[in-house]
Amino acid sequence: MKKFINIWSLLIVMSILILLPHFSVAAHGEKAEKKQAELAGRESGYTLTWNDNKGRFICKKNGSKLNNGWSFDSSKKIAYCTGKNGYLYAKIKDGKYYTYTANNKKPSSKVFKNKKNTIIRLHKKNFYIGANGLINLNKGWKLNNNGLYTYYVEKNGTVSVKISNGKFRVWNGKDIRWDKKDLKNYKGKVYTYNEKSFFVNTNGNISRAMGWQESYFIDNDGCVKYYDDGTTSFRITKNGGTKALKDGWNDDVYVKNGKIQRSTIVKSGGCNYFVDKNGSRQNFKVKNNQIVRPDNSMAVSSGIYAAAGKKYPIDNKGKIQKNSTVFIKNKAYETVSDGSLSKQPANHVHLWKAGSVTEQIDHKAKTKEVQIPVKEWDEEVWSEKEKYICKKCGKYYDTLDEWEEHSGKTNHGNYEPAKVLLYTIHHPTADEPKYETTTVITEKAWSEWYQIYTCRDCGEKMRVRVIDGKPTKGDYDGLEIPSKKGFILNVFGEKMMNVSANKAYPTGIRIGEQISKDESYKRYGFSYFEKADNILLPDTYLQLLKDHNIQ
């Protein structure tokens, strides 16, 4: 019996040992879950502790329970809304809004997708929602959907001020309403609130339309940016004061002699810019291969102009020159394929490689009718009526009967009706001279085309105008006119000649008196690398240049 009891006791002890870990794990799990809840809410000094009796989190900050209302973290990334005894009802974290319901530890989140750049009221407080649909708790002025500064967020993350329908309104938290601020003392002046200044019109309302109103300029954000007293232009400072603008660019306005320039062309850094009626910088426009003003589409004169984010050099012709060299006041400017200014440094030397041929133009010969005097001449007298001319012997007869008689006697079978030359009257030199009309050629037919060259180093393009024909006395009847300077390469990629922009050179090398490379470049604007190829060019070559109005 004693042995049986001992065995039974042993079984009981073993059972306890087996079950004990399970009780310990369960107790530990419950404790861990509670601890985990506390840790989950420990954000920036805040602690959330789950209360089983109420089925809600209790929110504490630095160990103290929060009471009715919102509490904001200094990082502006989180805010808590609690009721009595610190029970948590809502939270804002990273711009998202969370709500807590009873007996539910996991909150539901909400993003205000249909509300952007506006405000929303949550638990008696106004919050600003940005363009991304998230709540923004950061202090400062915020934009509405029209890009105007309209809402002001205080350091506690709530909106305290808004501008609507020209009225400046302040939040009355006690009565939960927006109270209008009286601005009658600011009519025709500016009212400044927290580093933003607003223009108050004669009706006492805040005017937001961009542009000059009286002496103040309102920017596109609805705030006053500049002030002009008639002789000097000023910037409005953060505290609502003024600071005189310096000559030159100030943001996008240009100041000359202390005043903002408007509706005119201003020159800065060698480039021309257009400023509109507000003084804002505007791009010139590209139209019909010209640079035109944006206000009246009038073509501009010689100079460099800012258009479409680029700079375009324009010569006296007023046209955009592509892949060329434009001379403005004897200074050369290279352009690229769209006619804008090249970005290559001034000391860059192009190595030109020949490419495709484009834009061939064939010019017909030009003629005109002239009167030439003839002092000694012969006057031909022809029959008034047609004769019957024998095709066999050439004799002619006045009537068909006469022809048939001739045909019967000679057996000649064919005739041709036509007028015949009866006789010639010779007019000697002593007589009064006669004038006759004749056609003369004033310009022989010739052709021209363009060939595209590419720089082997930088990839820029150059147009070379090629002229073939319109010869003068001599062998030179062809020219090539490069639009940019640099070295032209031969088919082997070797330097063949040094050329200047818009300086013509003959298409073929001729024999003549040799000169140095430097002398050739100085005289004609080009030189060959082979010493023997540099010669004095004859008058026929120079005449050819004149024929084509070149140099």
Side-chain angles (χ1 to χ4, degrees), residues 451-487:
Q451 189 166 10
I452 304 300
Y453 282 66
T454 304
C455 178
R456 189 174 66 187
D457 286 349
C458 70
E460 279 195 9
K461 305 293 183 183
M462 170 181 72
R463 282 170 27 120
V464 175
R465 181 187 177 197
V466 182
I467 295 175
D468 181 34
K470 198 175 180 181
T472 57
K473 297 176 182 178
D475 296 329
Y476 288 102
D477 60 355
L479 297 170
E480 295 191 17
I481 306 102
S483 62
K484 295 182 181 181
K485 64 180 181 180
F487 294 108

Side-chain angles (χ1 to χ4, degrees), residues 13-27:
V13 171
M14 291 178 66
S15 299
I16 293 173
L17 291 174
I18 291 172
L19 294 174
L20 185 60
H22 292 280
F23 288 112
S24 299
V25 169

Side-chain angles (χ1 to χ4, degrees), residues 464-532:
V464 175
R465 181 187 177 197
V466 182
I467 295 175
D468 181 34
K470 198 175 180 181
T472 57
K473 297 176 182 178
D475 296 329
Y476 288 102
D477 60 355
L479 297 170
E480 295 191 17
I481 306 102
S483 62
K484 295 182 181 181
K485 64 180 181 180
F487 294 108
I488 290 184
L489 308 179
N490 60 21
V491 292
F492 304 105
E494 302 167 336
K495 293 179 181 178
M496 182 177 69
M497 62 187 305
N498 188 11
V499 297
S500 302
N502 302 331
K503 294 287 186 178
Y505 60 88
T507 55
I509 302 171
R510 302 292 188 266
I511 298 174
E513 180 184 344
Q514 289 188 5
I515 57 177
S516 68
K517 294 180 183 179
D518 292 341
E519 181 68 16
S520 178
Y521 196 85
K522 182 178 179 181
R523 281 175 175 264
Y524 310 119
F526 68 88
S527 64
Y528 293 93
F529 266 71
E530 290 294 332
K531 182 179 179 181

